Amino acid sequence: MKRSTLKAWFLVHKWTSLVCTLFLLLLFATGLPLIFWEEIAHATGAEPEAEPVPAGMPRANADQLIEKALARYPGEVPLFFGWDDHGPMVYVTTGARPDTPPPEMHSVILHEYTGEILPAPSFNEGVMYFIYRLHTDVFVGLAGTLFLGAMTLLFVIAIISGVVLYAPFMRKLSFGTLRTGKSRRLAWLDLHNLLGVVTVAWALVVGLTGAINTLAKPLEQSWQAQQLGELGDRYRNAPKPSRFSSVDAAIAKARAAEPDMKPAFVSFPGTGYSGEHHYGVFMHGNTPITERITKPVLVDVETGELTAQPELPLYMSILLLSQPLHFGDYGGLPLKLLWALLDLITLFVLVSGLYLWAKRGSTETRLKELESGLVSEAPAGAMR
């Protein structure tokens, strides 16, 4: 590699690492408990449990369940009605107005068959929600989310540039070599390099899916504008609905229209998911992969007629698949444990990168070391 090229990669790696590492420490530290959010909720009693369903009992009427939830929060309107994947439970999300932001929403969990209201904390309260907000938007909304997305993109660039710089190092030493008999800095550097390159594929996956997830709101808005735009034109001059047809009937129509899928949630008009004149009954599959992909069935809220079944664009499918992959939520507890181990290793790589940067020499000295192949800049966060 030419010296000018080596220096360019070196500077890219150095400054992308330097800018993003502190934020990555926050993201990986908060991401660790979020991997086990469901398990923590179950262990602490924060996750409600429903009694088994008696044989032959029919589901409760969705409209009656919604009315029960609204009685808990008088004056609010329904926003979402959805199904829990871990038992015969449904949730009703309410707010003061259709465009209520998530931190101001309320939720009620009910037994899907008996209609009993189950004790459960609100989804936007508690320690885990605090950690979630730190991880996703540092409590400043979309601007914070997009900023963290930019930091994850810098992380990806740092990984790629680190791999490029690691290549000369591999030509001089056997893989896994730890030179513990020399300086402490050199031993830290070897361990940092080794752990960085071992986790490089996983770090790229987590970094890229994290960046994609930060674009969720803009992508959803784009889909709503493009895919629902034509439908909206038909209702452009129509007044807002004065009466709402049965949600239960809308769900039944969606089940009949997509018999090989099951409902995931229903969005109400004005929430941004189904326009101003429709229920959006979002259906999903039954396998670990297809259950992440939703297909909307739009039902007119006044007439109760099925209006459209628009297909999700590719970018929305990528978004929906990347969200669970980011937290290892595809293969149950074993995959989550692997994700947690790799998360801890990456935290060590980041911290050791800070240590190595604190003990750095001059840029010229580091370049000479790189050219000699004696030491190397490391992937995934090494900072000199």
Side-chain angles (χ1 to χ4, degrees):
M1 186 183 295
K2 293 182 179 179
R3 182 178 177 82
S4 59
T5 304
L6 183 69
K7 184 175 182 180
W9 279 109
F10 171 82
L11 292 175
V12 167
H13 182 69
K14 173 182 177 180
W15 288 108
T16 53
S17 299
L18 184 62
V19 170
C20 73
T21 292
L22 290 178
F23 298 101
L24 289 173
L25 285 171
L26 170 68
L27 290 173
F28 280 100
T30 54
L32 185 60
L34 291 177
I35 295 172
F36 301 104
W37 190 330
E38 293 179 355
E39 288 76 10
I40 292 172
H42 182 76
T44 58
E47 181 177 295
E49 294 187 9
E51 294 293 330
V53 181
M57 175 177 282
R59 294 185 179 90
N61 183 281
D63 300 287
Q64 295 176 0
L65 296 177
I66 293 169
E67 288 300 320
K68 276 192 175 184
L70 290 173
R72 296 285 296 268
Y73 298 101
E76 296 196 346
V77 296
L79 306 177
F80 300 98
F81 176 90
W83 287 259
D84 192 287
D85 292 329
H86 304 290
M89 297 176 289
V90 295
Y91 65 85
V92 179
T93 304
T94 67
R97 57 189 188 279
D99 61 347
T100 299
E104 299 174 18
M105 294 177 182
H106 298 108
S107 59
V108 178
I109 309 295
L110 305 99
H111 195 292
E112 186 180 5
Y113 290 80
T114 66
E116 175 191 4
I117 294 179
L118 303 175
S122 179
F123 73 93
N124 54 5
E125 297 176 357
V127 174
M128 292 304 293
Y129 180 72
F130 177 82
I131 294 173
Y132 172 77
R133 289 294 304 274
L134 275 179
H135 187 82
T136 56
D137 68 1
V138 288
F139 293 96
V140 293
L142 181 59
T145 299
L146 294 177
F147 175 78
L148 292 177
M151 293 301 102
T152 58
L153 285 178
L154 288 179
F155 177 53
V156 170
I157 296 171
I159 293 171
I160 295 171
S161 58
V163 170
V164 173
L165 293 171
Y166 189 67
F169 175 73
M170 287 300 295
R171 288 197 296 267
K172 293 290 183 178
L173 293 173
S174 300
F175 180 77
T177 298
L178 298 177
R179 291 166 291 178
T180 57
K182 299 185 179 181
S183 69
R184 177 181 297 180
R185 182 184 185 281
L186 196 56
W188 272 76
L189 178 60
D190 285 344
L191 182 58
H192 177 85
N193 285 346
L194 175 62
L195 294 178
V197 78
V198 165
T199 58
V200 66
W202 176 84
L204 276 172
V205 168
V206 171
L208 288 172
T209 54
I212 292 171
N213 290 344
T214 62
L215 298 175
K217 191 65 176 179
L219 289 177
E220 288 172 358
Q221 292 173 342
S222 175
W223 171 72
Q224 292 156 17
Q226 294 176 10
Q227 299 293 315
L228 301 180
E230 293 183 7
L231 188 63
D233 289 340
R234 295 165 51 183
Y235 293 84
R236 187 173 302 281
N237 297 319
K240 287 191 175 182
S242 58
R243 57 177 292 274
F244 282 51
S245 61
S246 166
V247 176
D248 198 75
I251 295 169
K253 276 188 167 59
R255 289 182 187 273
E258 298 290 347
D260 296 327
M261 305 181 80
K262 60 183 181 180
F265 69 93
V266 179
S267 65
F268 282 72
T271 57
Y273 285 84
S274 51
E276 298 289 340
H277 297 268
H278 292 85
Y279 296 124
V281 186
F282 285 77
M283 311 293 287
H284 65 173
N286 299 300
T287 68
I289 297 297
T290 60
E291 72 178 2
R292 310 296 178 176
I293 302 297
T294 58
K295 182 177 181 178
V297 176
L298 302 180
V299 177
D300 189 295
V301 297
E302 289 192 303
T303 67
E305 295 301 317
L306 192 154
T307 303
Q309 296 170 253
E311 294 289 341
L312 283 180
L314 178 61
Y315 61 82
M316 284 298 295
S317 296
I318 292 173
L319 170 66
L320 293 171
L321 288 172
S322 72
Q323 288 173 336
L325 181 59
H326 185 68
F327 290 106
D329 195 19
Y330 270 120
L333 186 58
L335 186 60
K336 289 185 177 185
L337 291 171
L338 175 61
W339 246 238
L341 175 62
L342 293 169
D343 186 291
L344 289 170
I345 293 173
T346 304
L347 276 171
F348 176 83
V349 172
L350 294 170
V351 172
S352 61
L354 287 174
Y355 168 80
L356 292 168
W357 178 72
K359 300 293 184 180
R360 69 194 182 282
S362 66
T363 297
E364 188 64 26
T365 300
R366 302 302 302 131
L367 285 172
K368 288 180 179 178
E369 291 175 338
L370 279 170
E371 289 176 319
S372 69
L374 292 178
V375 297
S376 161
E377 297 303 312
M383 292 162 40
R384 304 294 185 262

